[in-house]
Amino acid sequence: MLHKIFHALSPVWQLLFATLSIAIIANMFTAVSSTTNGLTIDFTRFNSDLNLLLVGLLGVVGWLAHRQIVRYNNESGANLSLWTLSPPELLETDERTKAVSAKATRAVYVYSNYALPILIVAILFVHNSLLLISIAVVIYLVGYYGTYLRDIWPLLDEA
Amino acid sequence: MLSILYTVSMSSRLLNTIYEKRTANRLTQSELAKQVGVTRQTIAAIEKEAYAPSALLAFQLARALGTPINELFQLEES
């Protein structure tokens, strides 16, 4: 099951990239505070150790994703992009895989139809806390990519 | 007055003889898949009746196997 979750075609990689990027940007924004003259950067609030850790984790995730993509390209003869992070769905030509992707995309659309208004209301409640906003966005993304992964699960077996 | 609605549901299944025709033509799943422009897994799914091909793909399969389409695919109604 792990090999399917971390398959080259799995959206888990996008989720990890998104989560770490949100954490890095949120950490950088904690250093920004508004004053009467505009925005200033308060480096005493910027946690450089945390950012180094997050950037390091991002590098590790990128390296692991790179390895999976190279292995998948070699085994299947596909040409997944290593650097542009373009979705593998853009390379699909087979009608059955397109149908599975279409069903998964539709499921994500329906999920977002309900989850986005909930996310917006949640953000309104916690708009003072960047940490809680980030957590709310990450929870939404977990559902977003998890819904997609659920529907493309059969394709990961064969790929 | 009660009116009773009867609903009749008809479910159909698409049967095929692709496996028989393919082996008669001495083609592997990969070779047939390449001829019609799909993956080997799609041919396997069609043979197992786990996937119903589009009309276009059905005609392409019939042409690749040299078989009339109504001999290759049948509709079973239950």
Side-chain angles (χ1 to χ4, degrees):
Chain A
M1 181 159 144
L2 271 180
H3 80 275
K4 285 173 78 170
I5 290 174
F6 294 106
H7 193 278
L9 300 180
S10 169
V12 162
W13 299 111
Q14 283 98 320
L15 175 61
L16 289 170
F17 275 117
T19 305
L20 289 169
S21 302
I22 286 171
I24 290 168
I25 292 168
N27 186 35
M28 286 166 70
F29 268 96
T30 57
V32 177
S33 57
S34 59
T35 65
T36 50
N37 296 326
L39 293 171
T40 58
I41 298 179
D42 178 5
F43 284 103
T44 61
R45 290 169 59 197
F46 176 65
N47 190 336
S48 57
D49 288 342
L50 177 61
N51 235 33
L52 270 177
L53 175 67
L54 291 171
V55 168
L57 279 175
L58 197 63
V60 168
V61 168
W63 174 71
L64 289 171
H66 176 272
R67 268 188 43 169
Q68 289 295 84
I69 289 172
V70 166
R71 191 195 309 184
Y72 176 73
N73 284 345
N74 288 338
E75 286 174 3
S76 67
N79 193 22
L80 282 188
S81 165
L82 295 172
W83 306 115
T84 62
L85 297 177
S86 51
E89 289 76 15
L90 296 181
L91 299 176
E92 283 172 356
T93 54
D94 180 80
E95 67 170 47
R96 188 180 61 94
T97 53
K98 280 186 194 172
V100 171
S101 297
K103 184 180 167 227
T105 307
R106 184 179 179 276
V108 169
Y109 170 78
V110 171
Y111 162 81
S112 294
N113 193 47
Y114 295 102
L116 264 177
I118 294 172
L119 173 66
I120 289 167
V121 168
I123 287 176
L124 286 173
F125 272 108
V126 299
H127 64 274
N128 287 327
S129 168
L130 197 54
L131 174 66
L132 290 178
I133 291 174
S134 304
I135 289 173
V137 171
V138 168
I139 290 173
Y140 164 77
L141 288 176
V142 167
Y144 181 98
Y145 287 112
T147 303
Y148 192 83
L149 181 64
R150 180 200 66 190
D151 280 351
I152 68 163
W153 193 255
L155 286 187
L156 299 179
D157 241 340
E158 343 164 326
Chain B
M1 185 168 94
L2 288 174
S3 62
I4 301 168
L5 298 173
Y6 289 97
T7 56
V8 177
S9 69
M10 299 222 332
S11 61
S12 306
R13 222 162 58 108
L14 190 67
L15 307 176
N16 68 76
T17 55
I18 291 180
Y19 173 77
E20 290 81 5
K21 301 290 184 194
R22 178 176 62 78
T23 49
N25 282 280
R26 294 174 202 253
L27 286 172
T28 62
Q29 286 181 341
S30 301
E31 286 165 348
L32 180 59
K34 207 169 186 175
Q35 282 187 34
V36 297
V38 296
T39 61
R40 185 198 66 77
Q41 290 84 356
T42 295
I43 297 295
I46 295 172
E47 286 182 0
K48 282 191 294 192
E49 290 163 9
Y51 174 70
S54 65
L56 177 63
L57 180 57
F59 274 95
Q60 286 171 336
L61 284 166
R63 185 173 61 185
L65 294 170
T67 308
I69 193 163
N70 58 337
E71 277 186 30
L72 202 56
F73 294 97
Q74 296 88 38
L75 197 62
E76 179 194 71
E77 300 205 44
S78 55

